[in-house]
Amino acid sequence: MLEIILIFIIVGTVIAIETRNMLSSVIAVGAVGFGVSLMFLFLQAPDIAITQVIVEILSLIILIRTTTYADNEAIEKRLDTFANMTGLIFLGLFLAFCYWAFSDLTSFGQPLMNVSQYYLSAGLTDTGAANIVAAVILDYRAYDTLGEAIVIFTSILGAFVLLRTKGKKKTEEKDIEKVGIPE
Amino acid sequence: MKKEKIKELIEDPNLGMTLIVKTVARITIALILLYGFYIIIYGHLTPGGGFAGGVILAIAYTLMMLAFSRRIALVKLSDFWASIWDNIGMLAFIVIGFVGLGFGYFLFNFLSKGKPFSLISAGIIPLLNLSIGIKIGAALYAIFIGLSIYGRLVLEEEE
Amino acid sequence: MLLYILNMLVFGLGLYCLIAKRHIIKKIIGMVIIEYSVNLFLILVGYRINGIAPILSPGENPIVFSQVAVDPLPQALVLTSIVIGLGTLALMAAYSIKLYEKYRTFDMSEINRLKG
């Protein structure tokens, strides 16, 4: 089952990379994201599945918004056989090294749970939260969440500074009037 | 802005999408907001939590912006207030953390744990969920305002 | 093992897209795909055969639960990383819009040429 969804994801990825039309490329990324969300659901992670679906919708909106600035044809040179072959060879090498590296990892289905075993057995009595994931992100590792909040704060700040060319003289009402007439 | 003016703007056929989309959006936006708050408040009992719920709140406002127009969404929640809510959520998180400092360490769970599986339980986790949800929702809405308004403004003025 | 390798194939395709494509939005797409792949890999590592979700329901025996539930730690880390991904995606979109405003093209090599 999981393999089938992963193959769907791979097909979606190839379509997203190789399509000429940018809009269909972006939509293929959306399909990949929903496949990933389905995968999370089968891997018993409902928290992340919900978040992934919703984030996927919003990121699709943002990407489409960016794509529609220009004509949505991809800029590609004609197919270069040498470059493609080199890419394939390096992809194969990469996968071979992955195989070599993952042989040291525990096999699929038997995780190494030194810390997590404690979280699972003592989470309810320690924090009182039935959702152990919520207990981990907001009690045991709340520092991590604080750092995450700061990262997202910074990225939003960066985007605002980049996009806002007007400076800060304008008041809020003037901004609204300036925006005016949407088509 | 006055209420009649807003109503006039909402019913203006030149603004936003068609009547069908507007009618559906008017009903669903409230439901989406309700669902977002449900996801946030029950984050410590069921799947969900502040992150997912915050993005749902942002999506409700984004739907408002897409279905009606940028103008109405800005009247309902302007970019200034979105950044204020963003800061409020961030500050609430840090303030709760510093209150915990008085009881033990930073982000100490100082409230009583309560009865498990009830809504009021788990100490500070629901409060932190709420602050994170407000923070994420306001921040993502603000960034969507930025992408859809500031960028376009410059392009239109140049052309 | 097959799942890990297939997952890393997705990572490799994203890396290829990030390096070889010239369109800026294609590069952003490659970045997004790499992010999905890494998130998925962390969750795959934490999966337990026939496991249940790490959420207690009323009346469940906590001892049995702690023996069958999947690993909650990667899930918590990935949960934050997904939302960070959205923030960085928005930042990248803002950068690409700025580049388009300045150079009137999304083509990366064209931008390099115009700059020099």
Side-chain angles (χ1 to χ4, degrees):
Chain A
M1 192 64 212
L2 291 172
E3 282 89 349
I4 296 170
I5 304 174
L6 253 177
I7 286 168
F8 168 76
I9 289 171
I10 290 170
V11 171
T13 310
V14 172
I15 292 173
I17 292 172
E18 290 302 331
T19 316
R20 289 283 164 135
N21 192 332
M22 286 314 294
L23 206 54
S24 24
S25 175
V26 168
I27 288 167
V29 171
V32 171
F34 286 121
V36 171
S37 154
L38 204 59
M39 194 90 183
F40 286 150
L41 204 58
F42 278 107
L43 289 169
Q44 302 293 336
D47 277 294
I48 309 174
I50 291 174
T51 315
Q52 174 73 42
V53 167
I54 298 158
V55 164
E56 189 53 51
I57 294 167
L58 204 54
S59 67
L60 206 59
I61 294 173
I62 289 176
L63 275 176
I64 288 175
R65 188 70 198 73
T66 317
T67 312
T68 47
Y69 265 93
D71 50 339
N72 52 17
E73 285 301 309
I75 314 141
E76 300 299 335
K77 39 186 186 196
R78 57 186 180 77
L79 278 175
D80 188 346
T81 335
F82 174 72
N84 278 348
M85 288 314 288
T86 324
L88 275 180
I89 288 169
F90 272 102
L91 192 58
L93 263 177
F94 175 71
L95 289 182
F97 273 109
C98 281
Y99 184 82
W100 185 48
F102 290 165
S103 57
D104 285 344
L105 217 59
T106 54
S107 61
F108 177 68
Q110 278 123 27
L112 204 63
M113 296 178 68
N114 293 336
V115 192
S116 317
Q117 200 60 56
Y118 174 75
Y119 290 158
L120 281 176
S121 50
L124 187 62
T125 48
D126 272 3
T127 66
N131 187 349
I132 306 293
V133 177
V136 172
I137 59 172
L138 292 175
D139 194 305
Y140 291 117
R141 285 172 183 258
Y143 245 2
D144 191 9
T145 311
L146 181 63
E148 189 271 354
I150 289 171
V151 167
I152 209 162
F153 191 79
T154 315
S155 75
I156 279 25
L157 203 67
F160 250 67
V161 167
L162 273 175
L163 289 169
R164 185 171 215 165
T165 49
K166 294 284 152 190
K168 284 184 179 173
K169 286 173 196 164
K170 211 156 284 168
T171 56
E172 171 197 354
E173 283 83 10
K174 274 188 186 168
D175 246 347
I176 290 172
E177 281 178 9
K178 206 43 177 191
V179 167
I181 322 132
E183 58 293 305
Chain B
M1 210 180 279
K2 291 207 180 66
K3 231 167 198 172
E4 296 85 43
K5 189 82 185 297
I6 295 174
K7 204 167 180 215
E8 201 177 293
L9 280 177
I10 287 176
E11 284 165 0
D12 191 352
N14 295 324
L15 286 177
M17 294 193 180
T18 58
L19 187 64
I20 301 169
V21 180
K22 280 185 182 177
T23 312
V24 173
R26 197 176 298 167
I27 302 165
T28 47
I29 283 171
L31 290 176
I32 295 173
L33 279 175
L34 192 65
Y35 181 64
F37 277 113
Y38 164 78
I39 288 268
I40 291 175
I41 291 169
Y42 280 81
H44 57 296
L45 300 176
T46 53
F51 292 101
V55 187
I56 292 175
L57 296 185
I59 279 184
Y61 276 99
T62 308
L63 174 63
M64 190 190 286
M65 185 180 277
L66 292 175
F68 298 103
S69 66
R70 294 194 287 275
R71 221 167 151 172
I72 288 167
L74 276 184
V75 169
K76 293 282 180 193
L77 181 62
S78 67
D79 51 347
F80 176 75
W81 280 104
S83 54
I84 291 287
W85 278 112
D86 185 6
N87 295 337
I88 287 175
M90 193 76 221
L91 265 180
F93 197 103
I94 296 174
V95 165
I96 292 171
F98 272 113
V99 172
L101 204 58
F103 291 83
Y105 46 86
F106 191 61
L107 288 166
F108 181 72
N109 197 343
F110 56 89
L111 291 175
S112 86
K113 306 294 184 295
K115 200 159 75 58
F117 307 114
S118 62
L119 182 56
I120 312 284
S121 68
I124 62 169
I125 289 180
L127 295 177
L128 290 183
N129 257 335
L130 197 59
S131 63
I132 283 278
I134 287 171
K135 191 234 165 311
I136 298 281
L140 293 176
Y141 174 64
I143 208 151
F144 196 75
I145 293 178
L147 283 179
S148 95
I149 290 175
Y150 297 144
R152 170 163 297 200
L153 205 62
V154 173
L155 279 186
E156 275 171 0
E157 277 174 4
E158 281 182 18
E159 276 159 8
Chain C
M1 190 52 114
L2 179 64
L3 282 169
Y4 293 164
I5 295 294
L6 283 177
N7 192 11
M8 277 299 134
L9 181 59
V10 178
F11 184 95
L13 287 172
L15 198 61
Y16 165 75
C17 185
L18 187 62
I19 292 170
K21 297 293 173 180
R22 293 162 71 195
H23 200 288
I24 291 177
I25 295 176
K26 285 260 171 162
K27 283 179 188 288
I28 295 177
I29 285 171
M31 199 72 205
V32 170
I33 286 169
I34 287 179
E35 204 181 287
Y36 287 163
S37 154
V38 171
N39 288 343
L40 197 51
F41 181 70
L42 288 176
I43 297 296
L44 277 173
V45 169
Y47 182 66
R48 195 183 255 182
I49 288 279
N50 296 326
I52 60 170
I55 293 161
L56 274 159
S57 47
E60 200 167 4
N61 187 356
I63 298 160
V64 177
F65 170 78
S66 72
Q67 294 305 316
V68 293
V70 300
D71 196 345
L73 192 53
Q75 296 196 11
L77 299 182
V78 168
L79 188 62
T80 57
S81 124
I82 287 175
V83 182
I84 289 180
L86 191 51
T88 52
L89 172 71
L91 188 60
M92 284 190 284
Y95 265 116
S96 65
I97 287 171
K98 272 301 175 200
L99 278 174
Y100 186 77
E101 271 176 14
K102 189 155 168 56
Y103 296 106
R104 295 281 153 179
T105 177
F106 273 135
D107 191 340
M108 207 64 206
S109 52
E110 189 79 4
I111 288 171
N112 274 335
R113 195 175 61 78
L114 286 174
K115 195 177 64 184

